[in-house]
Amino acid sequence: MTLVVLGLGFLGLSYGATWADPAKVFAALTGSGGGSGVVIREWRLPRVLSCLVFGAALGVAGAVFQNVTRNPMGSPDVIGLDAGAYTGALVAITVLSGTPAQLTAGSLVGGVLAAAAVYLLSSGGGLSGLRLVVIGIAVNAVLTAVNSWIVLRAELEVAIAAVGWSAGSLNGVDWEDVRIPFAVIGVLLVLLVLRSPALHQDALGTALAVTTGVRVDRLRLHLVLIGVGCTATVTAVAGPIAFIALAAPQIGRRLARAPGVPLLPAALTGAVLLQGADLVAQMLLAPVALPVGVVSTAIGGCYLIWLLTKEVRRA
């Protein structure tokens, strides 16, 4: 998977309005290359790194929620966290001035509030993964309606920008857009690595985790906050990119032949899926670049049909 990530990244640096051969790419990365070097370093490299970092963040967020819910349907875009982050971002765009800092803060607050609502509504009568997923789907529907209402009430220019952004797009991403999100995601991933031993203990069963000294409630709170932080940070920059968080953990688990939902395969698979989807989005109707969310939704829809069919057969 690492080799695939590197190969897709190199292809992303080569592909554009003009094709750059390997020599030009290497020259650009080493600081030379003239005009083509500027294009590769300043335009293409931020986009390629965004695919890698954001895809890994979404894959990890999906793995976190699927471990917490013990359900392959438990991902941020299914249980309403993406919609909540989008609501927070819409408020920042329509009520405030919509600066990058406000978008990040609004997305994070919206995602946390959505997660809190899902958790509180699911906790009555004993928390279960299935209950959380079903209530999350309902919360997602409500928030989607709220988001549509906000867009319809906004001014025309703001509404057009919000609708285009809601598709999930990496078009026009530059270094100014990604420096702070990269740092935030880096901190969140380090925190997740520190909590991963307890996460794997909890995956073996709540009773076993408790007997080995894991404070399960605190652990799950930390994991949910990390997962929401990863999802909201990506949403603040690129908009809600659907289905990467749903598909990447399960595909990674099957490739690794792991009994649980491991984090590293989910991160690598998420990076591969987002890189591949972004390249397809650029090539499909070239020279017009589609939003990457359009392609990821198509891929994720096919995956979701397969997953539901398999779950029904198992039941």
Side-chain angles (χ1 to χ4, degrees):
M1 294 299 287
T2 302
L3 292 176
V4 174
V5 167
L6 293 175
L8 289 174
F10 191 83
L11 180 59
L13 292 175
S14 300
Y15 181 80
T18 58
W19 178 264
D21 58 46
K24 288 184 179 179
V25 172
F26 283 119
L29 295 178
T30 55
S32 58
S36 63
V38 173
V39 170
I40 292 172
R41 288 193 305 271
E42 300 299 325
W43 296 358
R44 299 181 189 175
L45 186 57
R47 183 170 188 150
V48 168
L49 290 180
S50 296
C51 289
L52 195 158
V53 175
F54 293 165
L58 291 174
V60 163
V64 164
F65 284 103
Q66 289 179 15
N67 274 300
V68 170
T69 62
R70 291 180 171 82
N71 192 311
M73 292 288 293
S75 74
D77 43 356
V78 173
I79 62 177
L81 305 190
D82 273 11
Y86 182 42
T87 303
L90 282 177
V91 171
I93 292 173
T94 56
V95 177
L96 306 175
S97 56
T99 64
Q102 291 171 349
L103 281 174
T104 302
S107 297
L108 183 59
V109 171
V112 169
L113 291 177
V118 172
Y119 181 83
L120 291 175
L121 293 172
S122 305
S123 59
L127 183 66
S128 70
L130 180 60
R131 182 198 300 271
L132 191 146
V133 170
V134 172
I135 291 178
I137 292 172
V139 170
N140 185 42
V142 172
L143 289 174
T144 300
V146 171
N147 294 340
S148 298
W149 179 80
I150 293 174
V151 171
L152 290 172
R153 297 284 297 178
E155 295 181 1
L156 181 60
E157 294 81 2
V158 175
I160 292 173
V163 169
W165 184 69
S166 69
S169 176
L170 294 171
N171 298 335
V173 170
D174 58 24
W175 289 116
E176 290 299 320
D177 297 322
V178 299
R179 285 194 178 99
I180 294 177
F182 281 4
V184 172
I185 290 173
V187 171
L188 291 173
L189 293 182
V190 169
L191 293 175
L192 183 59
V193 168
L194 296 176
R195 300 298 282 157
S196 61
L199 168 65
H200 293 307
Q201 285 179 277
D202 184 43
L204 297 175
T206 302
L208 180 60
V210 171
T211 57
T212 55
V214 176
R215 301 182 66 175
V216 175
D217 291 338
R218 176 177 293 184
L219 170 67
R220 291 177 180 171
L221 176 61
H222 292 169
L223 293 176
V224 167
L225 291 176
I226 291 171
V228 170
C230 288
T231 302
T233 303
V234 175
T235 302
V237 178
I241 300 176
F243 287 108
I244 300 294
L246 174 67
Q250 293 300 314
I251 296 174
R253 180 179 72 84
R254 285 167 172 79
L255 291 175
R257 299 180 180 179
V261 186
L263 300 177
L264 183 58
L268 291 173
T269 305
V272 168
L273 289 178
L274 189 54
Q275 284 181 307
D278 188 54
L279 283 170
V280 172
Q282 293 181 66
M283 296 176 180
L284 198 60
L285 297 178
V288 177
L290 292 173
V292 66
V294 173
V295 178
S296 69
T297 300
I299 296 173
C302 296
Y303 167 79
L304 184 59
I305 292 172
W306 172 82
L307 180 63
L308 291 173
T309 302
K310 186 173 182 180
E311 291 297 317
V312 168
R313 289 177 180 174
R314 180 182 299 176

